[in-house]
Amino acid sequence: MAITTQRLTLDDYLSYDDGTDISYELVNGELVSMTLGMGQHGEIADFVNNCFRDEIKRLAPDWVTKQMVIGIQSPRGDRWDTVRIPDVVVLPLEQWRELQNREAVIRLNEPPPLLVVEVVSESTKGIDYRAKRAEYSVLDIPEYWIVDPLSEKVTLLTLAGGWYDASEFAGSDTVRSPTFPELTPFVEEILKGNL
């Protein structure tokens, strides 16, 4: 649900404050409130984020994983006035440090994250599968997970030649990530989250 009638620029968005705790994505210059997902949505994002964090600690690459705190400027529209906020983002530690003293939005002229995860809800299904897939591929994000509790599957998208190749996993399938090749969660584990 868009709440603005006047199109905002990226700078307008970064300085926007309506006095509430509502988070917004910017889509084609319009603020779109991020609705609260079901509790399962948060559990799934927590589980995936914790899996990535544990794997980063074990392997010791200079990476971090963050949940719902990093925006990514997107190429949607002709004015580059879209910012997406993925459920989970993996990025180099140095890039995270650079975001400490400014708005945590990865801009178009900066390296993309290593991996993003979106957890599907009823209101975001079309956006996660279509719009964000197109936007993230144009941004050259190497790996994109779509965790879909509605369809009980995980779609793993890996970038190849500017387009995403998709692999779908369900039930007792193990999700195999190019970014975390030794991480082997089952889809049913991911969909249960931390429960």
Side-chain angles (χ1 to χ4, degrees):
M1 174 175 108
I3 67 156
T4 56
T5 55
Q6 175 185 341
R7 289 175 62 99
L8 301 177
T9 65
L10 177 64
D11 289 336
D12 294 334
Y13 169 73
L14 295 176
S15 63
Y16 183 79
D17 182 3
D18 65 358
T20 71
D21 291 334
I22 298 172
S23 294
Y24 299 96
E25 285 187 332
L26 182 67
V27 180
N28 289 331
E30 296 183 9
L31 292 175
V32 178
S33 63
M34 297 178 64
T35 59
L36 288 176
M38 296 177 68
Q40 180 187 26
H41 186 279
E43 288 295 322
I44 291 169
D46 280 346
F47 179 80
V48 171
N49 195 48
N50 288 334
C51 286
F52 292 165
R53 182 175 289 123
D54 291 346
E55 203 63 0
I56 289 168
K57 284 180 186 175
R58 189 177 75 76
L59 299 173
D62 288 334
W63 299 346
V64 295
T65 180
K66 297 295 175 182
Q67 186 175 340
M68 299 264 325
V69 296
I70 297 174
I72 302 170
Q73 187 179 9
S74 173
R76 182 181 177 119
D78 59 355
R79 297 184 328 158
W80 308 99
D81 53 359
T82 294
V83 174
R84 299 296 190 179
I85 303 174
D87 290 301
V88 179
V89 177
V90 177
L91 68 159
L93 179 60
E94 184 58 35
Q95 190 173 19
W96 174 243
R97 286 184 178 139
E98 290 170 7
L99 294 173
Q100 297 305 295
N101 296 316
R102 65 178 175 92
E103 295 83 5
V105 172
I106 297 171
R107 296 182 186 233
L108 293 172
N109 61 343
E110 298 171 341
L114 304 168
L115 184 154
V116 295
V117 177
E118 297 287 0
V119 180
V120 175
S121 61
E122 198 60 54
S123 64
T124 66
K125 189 185 312 185
I127 296 165
D128 293 337
Y129 278 102
R130 295 177 54 97
K132 290 182 181 180
R133 180 178 180 159
E135 293 169 30
Y136 292 163
S137 68
V138 170
L139 291 170
D140 291 329
I141 296 173
E143 188 172 336
Y144 172 30
W145 291 29
I146 304 172
V147 180
D148 188 343
L150 305 174
S151 298
E152 298 183 350
K153 67 180 180 179
V154 174
T155 303
L156 177 73
L157 301 157
T158 52
L159 198 63
W163 301 97
Y164 279 127
D165 291 333
S167 301
E168 289 188 357
F169 304 91
S172 61
D173 292 344
T174 301
V175 178
R176 297 280 184 181
S177 164
T179 305
F180 296 104
E182 296 176 31
L183 181 67
T184 56
F186 298 111
V187 171
E188 45 201 21
E189 283 182 296
I190 294 170
L191 296 177
K192 286 182 192 171
N194 293 331
L195 299 176

